Amino acid sequence: MSNSDLDNLIEIMAKLPGLGPRSARRAVLHMIKKRALLMVPLADTLQQVATTARECLNCSNICSGTDLCDICSSEKRLNGEICVVEDVADLWAMERAGVFKGRYHVLGGTLSALDAIGPEELRIPKLMDRVASENVREVILALNATIDGQTTAHYIAGELETRGVAATSLAQGVPIGGELDYLDDGTITAALKARKAV
Amino acid sequence: MSNSDLDNLIEIMAKLPGLGPRSARRAVLHMIKKRALLMVPLADTLQQVATTARECLNCSNICSGTDLCDICSSEKRLNGEICVVEDVADLWAMERAGVFKGRYHVLGGTLSALDAIGPEELRIPKLMDRVASENVREVILALNATIDGQTTAHYIAGELETRGVAATSLAQGVPIGGELDYLDDGTITAALKARKAV
């Protein structure tokens, strides 16, 4: 019998973002040494998540085994605010901050003429449906501060204006703990333009 | 139902060497997007390797489902040379170079007075048994160029001398493609001392 399973495992691990062939080998050796503590639980949990993970039918967050995610199934989070994010990772980042109490809407990308991604591909119609059905007062556009992100934000803000719903975006400025010397010119310019009285 | 499986998966992934919480989240989201191509095969292969991987009874390489690894079960590799390495990762690195045609012996570490690791903990007695039973002429000590590695190499070389078996070690010098300006003083010193006629 050959070591093909092992080679196979290393090859699959090397496809994960952040890992290459070298770190995949290291991770596999580490797991073999910690078989009961790490390798078997990882295999079981992967299997479990692969079976149960699905997209929330409302906001496209990831949830396990249910049609709606925890946030969309909680009445407490129905407060008239929806935070629009590009990706589930952004939703998780917002939730870690723990300050937003409303619901989310995951676009799944940004508008892009080059990649032929229009509003239909981004669940923007679904967002407009939700704005009506969930009595939304304010949509917070927490999109990345990239050209595509800002284009998308402008498009959605325009759609919301025709429906009389407020659209806001995250403030731009100096990050907490940030040192001016290490910031790019664009951030400093934005922070200066948005300066506030102390 | 909660997202605890997902959190659990991220937590386990974050324990792998080279991954932290942030990259574990990224890897998990990536896998969920490529469920059939990546997540399910990974779960299956992990399960498979966790079940079948074991230590070669002769050299302590990792093999799947058999008592002896591919190298120890091949008569072609029985050529009177044994290459001693610290770890399975080092064995794999030697095999990738593809130039060594003998068999290996994985010590599983280095001698260390501080950590109370003596010859018995390192499979050195087993190496001495193999030197006799496999008619070994030469033992190549491919140990890391660290203090502990070199201490271990010296100890093994001493043991081999009493048995009349040649002990050699990998040459030290400038790596292929290496630039002098980026090399440490120790390497340059070693390379100068071991200089050869052109």
Side-chain angles (χ1 to χ4, degrees):
Chain A
M1 207 179 143
S2 77
N3 278 346
S4 59
D5 278 339
L6 206 55
D7 294 338
N8 212 359
L9 177 58
I10 294 169
E11 205 176 296
I12 299 175
M13 291 284 296
K15 285 183 193 158
L16 294 180
L19 288 179
R22 194 189 157 76
S23 42
R25 282 195 296 269
R26 204 154 65 96
V28 167
L29 280 175
H30 182 78
M31 283 194 287
I32 289 177
K33 278 175 197 161
K34 305 211 165 188
R35 204 177 304 204
L37 272 173
L38 194 55
M39 197 170 203
V40 175
L42 180 57
D44 292 345
T45 322
L46 274 171
Q47 196 68 63
Q48 183 73 11
V49 171
T51 317
T52 60
R54 62 176 86 162
E55 246 181 35
C56 171
L57 294 181
N58 201 37
C59 74
S60 294
N61 186 12
I62 292 166
C63 49
S64 21
T66 48
D67 283 344
L68 292 180
C69 69
D70 289 352
I71 298 171
C72 286
S73 51
S74 159
E75 283 298 319
K76 280 186 195 158
R77 303 291 298 251
L78 183 65
N79 66 355
E81 291 177 8
I82 285 187
C83 177
V84 175
V85 291
E86 275 182 39
D87 214 332
V88 175
D90 300 331
L91 188 160
W92 290 354
M94 291 291 297
E95 280 295 284
R96 281 200 299 283
V99 71
F100 179 66
K101 302 297 180 196
R103 290 188 176 166
Y104 293 92
H105 193 77
V106 180
L107 291 180
T110 48
L111 292 174
S112 165
L114 272 179
D115 299 327
I117 297 179
E120 308 290 325
E121 279 75 33
L122 288 185
R123 314 193 187 103
I124 291 180
K126 171 78 184 163
L127 174 63
M128 297 307 152
D129 292 349
R130 291 185 61 192
V131 163
S133 67
E134 296 184 24
N135 268 323
V136 171
R137 286 173 290 105
E138 180 181 351
V139 171
I140 297 159
L141 299 164
L143 299 174
N144 292 333
T146 56
I147 303 232
D148 278 350
Q150 295 310 303
T151 309
T152 312
H154 270 98
Y155 175 83
I156 297 178
E159 292 288 302
L160 290 170
E161 205 179 4
T162 64
R163 286 165 176 81
V165 175
T168 56
S169 71
L170 295 183
Q172 294 192 317
V174 181
I176 304 300
E179 295 180 41
L180 288 189
D181 196 18
Y182 291 91
L183 284 177
D184 60 301
D185 300 350
T187 302
I188 291 182
T189 307
L192 185 66
K193 280 188 185 161
R195 66 189 177 277
K196 299 190 299 182
V198 183
Chain B
M1 206 179 144
S2 78
N3 277 346
S4 59
D5 278 340
L6 206 56
D7 293 339
N8 210 0
L9 177 58
I10 293 170
E11 204 176 297
I12 299 175
M13 291 284 297
K15 285 183 194 157
L16 294 180
L19 288 180
R22 194 189 157 77
S23 42
R25 282 194 296 269
R26 204 154 67 97
V28 167
L29 280 174
H30 183 78
M31 283 195 287
I32 289 178
K33 279 176 195 159
K34 306 211 165 187
R35 201 176 306 204
L37 272 172
L38 194 54
M39 197 170 204
V40 175
L42 179 56
D44 292 345
T45 321
L46 274 170
Q47 196 68 64
Q48 183 73 11
V49 171
T51 317
T52 59
R54 60 174 87 161
E55 246 181 37
C56 171
L57 294 181
N58 201 37
C59 74
S60 295
N61 185 11
I62 292 166
C63 49
S64 20
T66 49
D67 284 344
L68 292 180
C69 68
D70 288 354
I71 298 171
C72 285
S73 50
S74 160
E75 283 298 318
K76 281 186 194 158
R77 303 292 295 252
L78 183 65
N79 67 355
E81 292 175 10
I82 285 186
C83 177
V84 174
V85 290
E86 275 182 40
D87 213 331
V88 175
D90 300 331
L91 188 161
W92 289 354
M94 291 290 298
E95 280 296 282
R96 281 199 300 280
V99 72
F100 178 68
K101 302 296 181 199
R103 289 187 178 167
Y104 293 93
H105 193 76
V106 180
L107 290 180
T110 48
L111 292 175
S112 164
L114 271 180
D115 299 328
I117 297 178
E120 308 291 324
E121 278 75 33
L122 288 185
R123 313 192 188 104
I124 291 179
K126 171 77 186 166
L127 173 64
M128 297 307 153
D129 292 349
R130 290 185 62 192
V131 163
S133 66
E134 296 183 23
N135 266 322
V136 172
R137 288 174 288 105
E138 180 182 350
V139 172
I140 298 159
L141 298 164
L143 299 174
N144 292 333
T146 56
I147 303 229
D148 279 349
Q150 295 310 301
T151 309
T152 312
H154 270 99
Y155 175 83
I156 297 178
E159 292 288 302
L160 290 170
E161 204 179 4
T162 65
R163 286 164 176 81
V165 174
T168 56
S169 71
L170 295 183
Q172 293 191 317
V174 181
I176 304 302
E179 295 181 41
L180 287 189
D181 195 18
Y182 290 91
L183 284 178
D184 60 301
D185 300 350
T187 303
I188 292 182
T189 307
L192 185 67
K193 280 188 187 162
R195 65 190 177 277
K196 300 190 299 182
V198 183

